Amino acid sequence: MRGMLVIISGPSGSGKGTVVKRLDPKKNYALSISITTRPPRNGEVDGKDYFFRTKEEFIKIRENNQFLEHAVYMDYYYGTPRNYVQNQISEGKVVVLEIDVNGALQVKKKFSEAVLIFLMPPTIDELNRRLIHRNTEELGVIEDRIKRAHEEIKLINKYDYLVINDEVKNAVHDINTIVEAESLKPSRCKDLIKCFEE
Ligand code: 5GP
């Protein structure tokens, strides 16, 4: 199978991180690790959750054109390393990016074949509850993230699929199903079709 690029976005608190980590390990997924200037939260590990870099380091990487996409989110920079994604796709992997809406739309412009999935909590009340209970941010930051969530939700129609994360196992199941169905599209099986034509 040819590789595939799957992008998962959704408001802070939608549970993207948890869902992405539980995707079916048998399905050839490769999770891209982003570079960010945000300081690590408690328990986050450099090279596992993110590559944590200074603003100067980030700018250098950007100037060297090593990002597939990059965006600013709540005053911090985030970017996807281009090489990793290209290498994994050429090895036939399903590369998963967990990135914000601005980054997702940048990638879709360059690769129309990218599959955009928007992950939502079941209700706005539940989103607020998750952000407050997550306890990783100050109250002001939480309020900013809630505002940002409302902005992001307005762009939902630009996405190919909407997945409701009422329970992690249901959301994981939906995403695995989307990937399965996408992999069966004739446009993704060009090599196979060509060999029948010859
Ligand atoms: P957090 O600070 O909560 O880890 O991430 C904040 C937002 O940045 C989330 O919406 C997350 O998906 C997004 N994000 C993480 N990495 C990247 C990236 O490489 N590019 C873009 N555009 N957004 C990212």
Side-chain angles (χ1 to χ4, degrees):
M1 189 178 100
R2 269 167 67 204
M4 197 191 298
L5 188 54
V6 175
I7 299 183
I8 302 186
S9 307
S12 195
S14 58
K16 287 169 297 196
T18 315
V19 167
V20 162
K21 285 189 189 86
R22 298 212 194 150
L23 292 173
D24 187 350
K26 292 193 286 289
K27 277 213 167 57
N28 220 8
Y29 286 112
L31 309 185
S32 165
I33 300 170
S34 295
I35 298 169
T36 184
T37 61
R38 168 172 76 63
R41 295 187 186 121
N42 263 347
E44 283 185 330
V45 176
D46 185 46
K48 184 166 168 268
D49 299 287
Y50 281 105
F51 295 107
F52 296 100
R53 296 292 179 264
T54 62
K55 199 169 168 180
E56 290 69 32
E57 288 168 331
F58 190 99
I59 291 170
K60 209 175 247 171
I61 299 169
R62 194 177 64 197
E63 283 171 356
N64 288 334
N65 200 23
Q66 288 169 340
F67 284 122
L68 176 67
E69 63 72 39
H70 54 85
V72 180
Y73 184 96
M74 318 291 298
D75 296 335
Y76 294 116
Y77 296 178
Y78 295 81
T80 304
R82 180 194 300 280
N83 268 353
Y84 176 82
V85 174
Q86 280 176 344
N87 293 342
Q88 296 294 314
I89 287 187
S90 61
E91 284 179 23
K93 297 274 174 62
V94 178
V95 179
V96 180
L97 310 183
E98 185 212 315
I99 64 177
D100 83 325
V101 286
N102 294 323
L105 298 180
Q106 282 177 49
V107 177
K108 187 77 174 177
K109 240 188 205 166
K110 291 185 210 161
F111 301 105
S112 56
E113 283 184 20
V115 181
L116 265 53
I117 302 176
F118 199 92
L119 191 68
M120 281 276 280
T123 61
I124 285 289
D125 285 349
E126 175 61 13
L127 175 75
N128 297 348
R129 197 192 63 76
R130 285 185 197 174
L131 277 174
I132 291 162
H133 283 254
R134 192 160 79 171
N135 218 8
T136 51
E137 269 97 14
E138 310 272 319
L139 202 55
V141 176
I142 294 173
E143 282 168 2
D144 288 345
R145 282 183 176 246
I146 290 173
K147 269 192 222 143
R148 173 83 186 215
H150 287 270
E151 293 301 312
E152 291 186 341
I153 290 167
K154 287 186 193 148
L155 291 170
I156 225 164
N157 282 331
K158 308 251 181 221
Y159 278 70
D160 300 306
Y161 297 95
L162 169 65
V163 169
I164 306 292
N165 185 15
D166 51 353
E167 264 193 63
V168 173
K169 73 170 176 9
N170 296 341
V172 167
H173 175 264
D174 286 350
I175 293 172
N176 285 328
T177 307
I178 291 167
V179 169
E180 192 80 40
E182 280 286 335
S183 70
L184 299 175
K185 282 190 168 166
S187 57
R188 296 190 192 277
C189 309
K190 281 185 186 138
D191 296 344
L192 180 72
I193 292 169
K194 219 165 50 200
C195 89
F196 277 101
E197 283 169 350
E198 278 162 5

